Amino acid sequence: MTSPSLADHDTIRAVQWQGDCLRLLDQRKLPFVEDWLDCRSAAAVAQAVRDLVVRGAPAIGIAAAWGVVLAAQGGDDLERAMALLRAARPTAVNLMAALDRMHACMAGGADAASLTRTAQAIQDEDLAANRAMGAMGAAWLQRGSGVLTHCNTGSLATAGFGTALGVIRAGYAAGNIVRVFADETRPWLQGARLTMWELQRDGIPATLIADSAASHLMKSGQVQWVIVGADRIAANGDTANKIGTYQLAIAARHHGARFMVVAPSTTVDMATPAGDAIDIELRDPAELLGYAGQRTVVEGARAWNPVFDVTPHDLVDVLVTERGVITQPDVDAMRAVFGNDGTN
Amino acid sequence: MTSPSLADHDTIRAVQWQGDCLRLLDQRKLPFVEDWLDCRSAAAVAQAVRDLVVRGAPAIGIAAAWGVVLAAQGGDDLERAMALLRAARPTAVNLMAALDRMHACMAGGADAASLTRTAQAIQDEDLAANRAMGAMGAAWLQRGSGVLTHCNTGSLATAGFGTALGVIRAGYAAGNIVRVFADETRPWLQGARLTMWELQRDGIPATLIADSAASHLMKSGQVQWVIVGADRIAANGDTANKIGTYQLAIAARHHGARFMVVAPSTTVDMATPAGDAIDIELRDPAELLGYAGQRTVVEGARAWNPVFDVTPHDLVDVLVTERGVITQPDVDAMRAVFGNDGTN
């Protein structure tokens, strides 16, 4: 009997190209039902993105790329299909990047075969980047580490393996991680619903906590690393991520735990000088006025529902991208890796 | 037309003695239904405490005192009635203190009239203490303050007015508070369900936030004071309170916001030298695995559900009790007010 390998902890692929349709694991139904939706047109993919069947910035971008392939196979108007896909989640940067790449491919002929190769490359490169980040990030974890993560940054949100959750996969498989804690991540509960499912499914024992219990947990000495993803990283290393991330960074610093951000280089935006230039999306207060579809707050109540917050770079100990690891990121360290031309 | 007075913001009395029954606002049904339950026996009061019709340590103690009066009026065995009430929430310190006081009264004759006077005194003294704390705490708030509170520490949890929420009532009525934010307070959502209802009902505009959004809110400069209650305060000022309080204290210090604890002197336990001697109750993980009977997390998942955490005294800027205000509490400052004999 051989000991479990990394592959044993990496079995989930939520976005699967089938040659003539795109098969998506329906994340709306997780964690209780594992249901798959087959999309046979760009319109069906756009609908799935809009309905949150597929979520997570890299996963959305990959799904959209396959949506363009489906349009080409069906003889649809490709420009129209791309506009439809682009509008499905208008603020998703990875969606735009994937569609831009498909568009560049179209300029070279737009046959289904070359579009298929490009979509496959987008998917394969994401998985490869995640594996590279997993290995690099895990190398920072001392043996016996306890880790805490936030939201869902796993196979469900990417081509597979995940970003922050990829580091946790790699660190667990290497025997360096002995305890994994997951924030439930209000208001959407991605930690409770998705991360706990994903870790259980892949044989990594994990413990759920309330978001507000993180500091109490850190005080107990059970957390050596907080490991999170990112939605956008400014030129100085300031990191926008799911609401609650900033609070974890403050608590980690207070308790001497270390703070790691794991994100592909496409997340880095050298044209944004610092975090205060990042616009924080405010979502419908209704998301805070109920829980799992059940209203909990008096009618007429107000709520403030920012989706993201910004962690200043001086609270980030380690930033992992597929291009390498930056410790104590600042504008000089960032420029050394990403240049300063404002492009990704 | 006169301007609103403090009384306009203090209309809720959740525990009401009716002469022959105890009328309780059913907190299980808030915020959607205002339903009252009339208890006509000690057994009915014990059941109401057990079923969380009434919650909040001071409110439970007051209800239990009236339960003893009902037993006396009905000619029941008083010792048996008290044992029943005592067992209803076995860890509630205020419940035991109220019953001890009723028991001492019984030693002097146990007629219904004197028991009624004692129960009324317990209730009146709680309300008076809350009003005193409200005035003292509010005096610390500069004009234009924004405040953030956690859990429910209001009229619903006490004889009326509340502890931390009493300071907010008084500060709002005095015109010093211009913004009130309430944490939703997972896992029981007392902030979302109860505090938001109570503040709306009493005409104090408030905004609900996710527990994890507190630091992002503080960074925006909208919070000058975090104001919370306490479940137990050690001899050095270390404060046990609802899970999430400690995280707020760290965040407040990080952002230069000030941190106020408001609690009656019965909460102070000079026999406990420091917070690390306070046993933190761990509750059923199921409370984190769903809400109101709706499961959100995969079957078999583990969760860690501590009810309280401890805020070290050096993160407390101001401690308000009805005996006075202590700034930067430590063991010497605490002894000066509360003595060091281990009694309350």
Side-chain angles (χ1 to χ4, degrees):
Chain A
M1 200 177 116
T2 57
S3 58
S5 72
L6 180 51
D8 295 317
H9 304 298
D10 176 30
T11 69
I12 302 164
R13 295 294 178 268
V15 180
Q16 300 188 356
W17 177 245
Q18 301 291 307
D20 60 349
C21 74
L22 182 65
R23 185 162 290 173
L24 297 172
L25 179 54
D26 191 341
Q27 301 196 31
R28 299 169 304 179
K29 300 184 181 173
L30 289 177
F32 303 113
V33 178
E34 287 175 40
D35 205 4
W36 294 83
L37 183 74
D38 285 350
C39 299
R40 301 185 182 277
S41 68
V45 172
Q47 187 71 38
V49 169
R50 215 161 27 232
D51 292 348
L52 304 177
V53 172
V54 55
R55 53 150 284 286
I60 288 170
I62 293 160
W66 288 118
V68 177
V69 173
L70 286 168
Q73 287 183 343
D76 299 346
D77 179 331
L78 292 189
E79 292 291 350
R80 206 176 146 268
M82 290 186 63
L84 196 65
L85 289 161
R86 203 175 285 271
R89 283 291 290 277
T91 59
V93 173
N94 297 55
L95 172 61
M96 306 314 152
L99 289 173
D100 286 349
R101 194 158 155 196
M102 294 302 280
H103 198 263
C105 174
M106 279 161 57
D111 61 299
S114 67
L115 287 169
T116 299
R117 279 193 301 275
T118 301
Q120 190 66 52
I122 291 171
Q123 178 157 347
D124 292 347
E125 287 165 21
D126 185 62
L127 183 57
N130 292 342
R131 287 185 166 141
M133 292 190 289
M136 288 188 286
W140 281 83
L141 308 176
Q142 60 277 43
R143 280 195 94 74
S145 288
V147 301
L148 169 63
T149 191
H150 194 65
C151 198
N152 176 270
T153 59
S155 292
L156 292 172
T158 63
F161 203 78
T163 55
L165 221 48
V167 170
I168 291 174
R169 276 192 165 82
Y172 182 79
N176 290 342
I177 292 177
V178 295
R179 290 175 302 276
V180 178
F181 296 94
D183 276 347
E184 59 176 1
T185 317
R186 283 285 287 156
W188 291 348
L189 299 172
Q190 296 97 326
R193 293 192 304 110
L194 302 179
T195 298
M196 290 300 289
W197 175 85
E198 180 169 335
L199 291 174
Q200 182 184 86
R201 176 68 184 271
D202 272 350
I204 300 174
T207 302
L208 183 70
I209 65 167
D211 301 328
S212 67
S215 290
H216 182 54
L217 176 67
M218 289 184 205
K219 198 199 234 176
S220 75
Q222 295 182 82
V223 175
Q224 282 64 52
W225 285 88
V226 174
I227 308 180
V228 299
D231 284 88
R232 195 195 292 196
I233 302 173
N236 67 347
D238 289 355
T239 296
N241 192 43
K242 187 66 55 197
I243 187 72
T245 303
Y246 172 48
Q247 193 144 299
L248 291 179
I250 295 168
R253 182 60 53 92
H254 185 84
H255 293 95
R258 302 189 76 192
F259 191 84
M260 181 188 292
V261 174
V262 187
S265 59
T266 45
T267 310
V268 174
D269 176 11
M270 294 302 286
T272 297
D276 54 15
I278 298 176
D279 201 31
I280 300 294
E281 180 188 354
L282 290 175
R283 283 182 60 92
D284 189 345
E287 293 179 348
L288 274 179
L289 301 177
Y291 187 90
Q294 248 174 292
R295 192 172 172 103
T296 51
V297 187
V298 65
E299 290 294 333
R302 290 187 303 195
W304 184 64
N305 185 23
V307 182
F308 305 110
D309 57 28
V310 173
T311 300
H313 64 91
D314 58 340
L315 292 177
V316 177
D317 294 300
V318 175
L319 168 60
V320 178
T321 78
E322 83 282 5
R323 294 206 207 163
V325 173
I326 299 176
T327 58
Q328 276 90 50
D330 61 16
V331 66
D332 294 331
M334 292 289 290
R335 276 187 185 151
V337 174
F338 299 105
N340 60 358
D341 56 359
T343 66
N344 292 322
Chain B
M1 198 178 117
T2 58
S3 58
S5 73
L6 181 50
D8 295 319
H9 304 298
D10 176 29
T11 69
I12 301 163
R13 296 294 177 267
V15 180
Q16 300 188 358
W17 177 244
Q18 302 290 307
D20 61 347
C21 75
L22 182 66
R23 188 161 288 173
L24 297 171
L25 180 55
D26 191 341
Q27 300 195 31
R28 299 170 305 180
K29 299 182 181 172
L30 289 177
F32 302 112
V33 179
E34 287 175 39
D35 205 3
W36 295 83
L37 184 73
D38 284 351
C39 299
R40 302 186 181 277
S41 68
V45 173
Q47 187 71 37
V49 169
R50 215 162 26 233
D51 292 349
L52 304 177
V53 172
V54 55
R55 54 151 282 286
I60 289 171
I62 293 159
W66 288 118
V68 176
V69 173
L70 286 168
Q73 287 182 343
D76 300 344
D77 179 332
L78 293 188
E79 292 290 351
R80 203 174 149 272
M82 291 185 63
L84 196 65
L85 289 160
R86 204 175 284 273
R89 285 289 293 273
T91 59
V93 174
N94 297 54
L95 173 60
M96 305 313 152
L99 289 173
D100 287 349
R101 193 159 157 194
M102 295 302 282
H103 197 263
C105 173
M106 280 162 55
D111 60 299
S114 67
L115 287 170
T116 299
R117 280 193 300 276
T118 302
Q120 190 65 54
I122 291 171
Q123 180 158 344
D124 292 347
E125 288 166 21
D126 186 63
L127 184 56
N130 292 342
R131 285 184 168 142
M133 291 189 290
M136 287 189 286
W140 281 83
L141 308 176
Q142 60 277 43
R143 280 195 93 75
S145 287
V147 301
L148 170 63
T149 189
H150 194 64
C151 199
N152 177 269
T153 60
S155 293
L156 291 173
T158 62
F161 203 78
T163 54
L165 222 47
V167 170
I168 290 172
R169 275 191 166 82
Y172 182 78
N176 290 342
I177 292 177
V178 295
R179 289 176 301 276
V180 179
F181 296 94
D183 275 347
E184 58 174 1
T185 317
R186 280 285 290 154
W188 292 346
L189 299 173
Q190 295 97 326
R193 293 194 301 111
L194 302 178
T195 298
M196 290 300 290
W197 175 86
E198 182 170 334
L199 291 174
Q200 182 184 85
R201 176 68 183 271
D202 272 350
I204 300 174
T207 301
L208 183 71
I209 64 166
D211 301 329
S212 68
S215 290
H216 182 54
L217 176 66
M218 290 185 205
K219 196 199 235 176
S220 75
Q222 295 182 81
V223 175
Q224 282 64 53
W225 285 89
V226 175
I227 308 180
V228 299
D231 284 87
R232 196 194 291 198
I233 301 173
N236 67 347
D238 290 356
T239 296
N241 192 44
K242 186 67 57 200
I243 188 72
T245 303
Y246 171 49
Q247 194 144 297
L248 291 179
I250 295 168
R253 181 61 52 94
H254 186 83
H255 293 96
R258 301 188 76 191
F259 191 83
M260 182 188 293
V261 174
V262 188
S265 59
T266 46
T267 310
V268 175
D269 177 11
M270 294 301 287
T272 297
D276 53 15
I278 298 177
D279 201 32
I280 300 294
E281 181 188 353
L282 289 175
R283 284 182 60 93
D284 189 345
E287 293 179 348
L288 274 178
L289 301 177
Y291 180 77
Q294 215 175 318
R295 196 175 169 97
T296 50
V297 187
V298 66
E299 289 294 333
R302 291 187 304 196
W304 184 63
N305 185 22
V307 182
F308 306 111
D309 57 29
V310 173
T311 300
H313 64 92
D314 59 337
L315 292 178
V316 177
D317 293 300
V318 175
L319 168 60
V320 178
T321 79
E322 81 285 3
R323 295 208 205 161
V325 173
I326 300 175
T327 56
Q328 274 91 50
D330 60 16
V331 67
D332 294 331
M334 292 289 290
R335 277 188 186 150
V337 174
F338 299 106
N340 61 356
D341 57 359
T343 66
N344 291 323

